[in-house]
Amino acid sequence: MRRTAHPRRIRRIALGLVAVTAAALTLSACGSTASSADGKTNITLSMQNADVKTADPATWAIVQAFQKANPDITVTVSGEAVADHLQKLSIAAQSDTLPDIFWVYKSTAEQMQKAGKLLDLAPVLKDLKLTDSFPKSTIANFSNGNVIYGVPYQGLLTGLWVNTKILSDNGLTPPKTFDDLVKVTKVLNAKGVTTISNGANQSSFSVWAFLTMLDRYGFGDKVKGLLDGSVKYSNDEFLRLYQHIDQLRKAGAFPSNVSTQTYQQAVDQFTSGKAAMLDSGVWASSAIQASPIAPNISFWQGPQFSDGVGEQNIIMNVASAPFAVDHKVANDAKKLDAVKKFLAFYYSDEAQQILVDNGQPPVTTYKAKLDAQKQGALKAALDAATADGVTSPLSQPDLLVPTPVANSMYDSIYGVIEGQLTPSAATDLVQKALDSNQQ
């Protein structure tokens, strides 16, 4: 398949042109003056969802609780879909009109920090006595030397949700290895049951379980070389993984409409009992808990590979893309004070429990209070993450590379899942993006 023929790429280009125009028209609204006519201090929070209230109820609930506790501060929340959001931020960084606080990819934040666009949060966290509230790996992941450029937004705990009843009804036991997964797939496909629910339409990023599989082929050890050009993405180890993905496709693991189905439709397919597994993360726990299949749910870290590279008993349990703060906040005493109050509240035990109550794990060392009956799905995910012997990479692979490379990784995986790319063409696609990044 020719790269230019890929429907998601054509759509992304079109959306990108629209996003550039829209972002250019709204740059002046990214920041805000410190005080409004009513005397309140205004701060802006820019997110990766167009409808934060609906799509990210945990963040929305924290903002509402913060404003109730701080009636002299107004938080203006805005957002766009991920690709549009990142593009808007890049334009805003160039014109020095970034929002006060914003969600951003780690790789993009690193570029902004090097350009002097971000507030160093190290003294802020020290002043708020928050530095020790985070796992050391989280602080290290969002640091450059002594500078801390980001703080964790939410936890990124991903894997495969499993409907154990579908497996048991078909005489199957939960798989552990990739070979086990192929056997399960063949049995379910013969009975017309989807094994892994995925949705590529408008959600090409929804390949979390497969990104973790990259770490089972040594991605963490290779990423530095991938970025400096000394290691090729089209290496034998990654090629083997893509061949395994193709093997799953041929066995009938994925929905027949995976190309046209969205992520939300994939969730609906799973929660309605029409798929044995869902490629997702802990954020889906609330929807799963509210569905009829809730009593039959487990959470699986994903398959281990006999031909993998390095540690196999891993689960992706890391800090998601961070919050960053515009460097100009430091020039406005009232705004800086308001931002510090917001961060202090966001990482307080009260707000971390709000995360838990909305199906999210805490991002601090706070010990979550769970209702096992009402939050069984969330408990299943947290139990999987803390099982004996399980370790986690430092970060998800797509968060360690520039956005165009991350997009090509999504396209490469879905390209094989959809049967539009051969495994070798898929790895070559990502290598081309890496080559372009190095020019």
Side-chain angles (χ1 to χ4, degrees), residues 292-314:
I293 67 171
N296 308 305
I297 288 300
S298 67
F299 191 82
W300 182 34
Q301 66 199 73
Q304 299 184 24
F305 296 86
S306 59
D307 63 356
V309 177
E311 182 59 51
Q312 297 295 301
N313 190 19
I314 60 173

Side-chain angles (χ1 to χ4, degrees), residues 156-212:
L156 191 63
L157 171 53
T158 67
L160 292 165
W161 293 98
V162 181
N163 185 330
T164 56
K165 187 175 187 300
I166 287 181
L167 297 183
S168 61
D169 285 351
N170 289 280
L172 299 167
T173 57
K176 181 176 180 180
T177 68
F178 176 75
D179 290 340
D180 294 339
L181 179 58
V182 172
K183 292 177 182 177
V184 165
T185 296
K186 289 180 177 179
V187 170
L188 293 179
N189 184 56
K191 297 185 177 183
V193 179
T194 295
T195 300
I196 304 175
S197 188
N198 282 89
N201 185 21
Q202 302 178 38
S203 46
S204 62
F205 52 84
S206 58
V207 285
W208 300 282
F210 297 93
L211 291 171
T212 303

Side-chain angles (χ1 to χ4, degrees), residues 9 55 100 110 125 204 207 274 281 358 375 401:
R9 290 192 169 279
D100 298 325
E110 288 175 337
L125 296 181
S204 62
V207 285
K274 298 178 181 177
N358 283 275
Q375 293 177 291
V401 299

Side-chain angles (χ1 to χ4, degrees), residues 263-284:
Y263 165 71
Q264 186 55 55
Q265 289 171 328
V267 174
D268 294 342
Q269 181 183 39
F270 179 70
T271 55
S272 62
K274 298 178 181 177
M277 302 178 191
L278 171 68
D279 184 354
S280 186
V282 69
W283 56 86

Side-chain angles (χ1 to χ4, degrees), residues 76-371:
T76 301
V77 182
S78 63
E80 306 82 23
V82 173
D84 295 344
H85 176 76
L86 292 171
Q87 190 166 35
K88 181 177 177 179
L89 289 178
S90 295
I91 295 171
Q94 293 171 19
S95 59
D96 213 12
T97 56
L98 285 166
D100 298 325
I101 307 171
F102 53 94
W103 179 99
V104 63
Y105 268 5
K106 170 182 164 66
S107 57
T108 305
E110 288 175 337
Q111 295 170 1
M112 291 179 175
Q113 188 271 324
K114 291 177 182 178
K117 302 296 183 181
L118 301 183
L119 182 69
D120 179 9
L121 297 173
V124 173
L125 296 181
K126 183 178 180 181
D127 183 47
L128 297 174
K129 296 180 172 56
L130 284 175
T131 308
D132 294 334
S133 296
F134 305 106
K136 291 183 178 179
S137 60
T138 296
I139 293 295
N141 200 33
F142 299 141
S143 297
N144 182 10
N146 294 323
V147 174
I148 299 175
Y149 58 80
V151 283
Y153 148 64
Q154 287 180 1
L156 191 63
L157 171 53
T158 67
L160 292 165
W161 293 98
V162 181
N163 185 330
T164 56
K165 187 175 187 300
I166 287 181
L167 297 183
S168 61
D169 285 351
N170 289 280
L172 299 167
T173 57
K176 181 176 180 180
T177 68
F178 176 75
D179 290 340
D180 294 339
L181 179 58
V182 172
K183 292 177 182 177
V184 165
T185 296
K186 289 180 177 179
V187 170
L188 293 179
N189 184 56
K191 297 185 177 183
V193 179
T194 295
T195 300
I196 304 175
S197 188
N198 282 89
N201 185 21
Q202 302 178 38
S203 46
S204 62
F205 52 84
S206 58
V207 285
W208 300 282
F210 297 93
L211 291 171
T212 303
M213 293 179 203
L214 273 170
D215 272 305
R216 296 193 180 101
Y217 281 85
F219 185 92
D221 294 331
K222 293 180 175 71
V223 64
K224 183 177 179 181
L226 291 170
L227 293 173
D228 68 21
S230 61
V231 174
K232 297 296 184 184
Y233 194 92
S234 49
N235 60 71
D236 290 342
E237 289 84 5
F238 288 2
L239 181 60
R240 288 204 300 273
L241 171 59
Y242 280 82
Q243 288 170 340
H244 287 318
I245 298 172
D246 197 39
Q247 190 178 349
L248 283 175
R249 177 189 67 83
K250 291 176 179 176
F254 307 106
S256 59
N257 64 337
V258 65
S259 299
T260 58
Q261 180 166 262
T262 65
Y263 165 71
Q264 186 55 55
Q265 289 171 328
V267 174
D268 294 342
Q269 181 183 39
F270 179 70
T271 55
S272 62
K274 298 178 181 177
M277 302 178 191
L278 171 68
D279 184 354
S280 186
V282 69
W283 56 86
S285 63
S286 294
I288 293 171
Q289 190 66 46
S291 74
I293 67 171
N296 308 305
I297 288 300
S298 67
F299 191 82
W300 182 34
Q301 66 199 73
Q304 299 184 24
F305 296 86
S306 59
D307 63 356
V309 177
E311 182 59 51
Q312 297 295 301
N313 190 19
I314 60 173
I315 192 168
M316 192 60 65
N317 183 24
V318 300
S320 181
F323 280 136
V325 178
D326 179 25
H327 72 108
K328 296 196 307 299
V329 166
N331 301 329
D332 188 322
K334 287 186 176 181
K335 182 166 288 191
L336 177 60
D337 182 63
V339 167
K340 289 172 70 172
K341 286 181 178 178
F342 179 80
L343 294 178
F345 184 83
Y346 194 93
Y347 299 109
S348 68
D349 289 353
E350 178 184 351
Q352 292 302 295
Q353 186 61 43
I354 291 175
L355 282 178
V356 174
D357 292 343
N358 283 275
Q360 297 286 346
V363 295
T364 68
T365 55
Y366 171 71
K367 300 300 182 183
K369 297 175 182 177
L370 284 172
D371 185 322

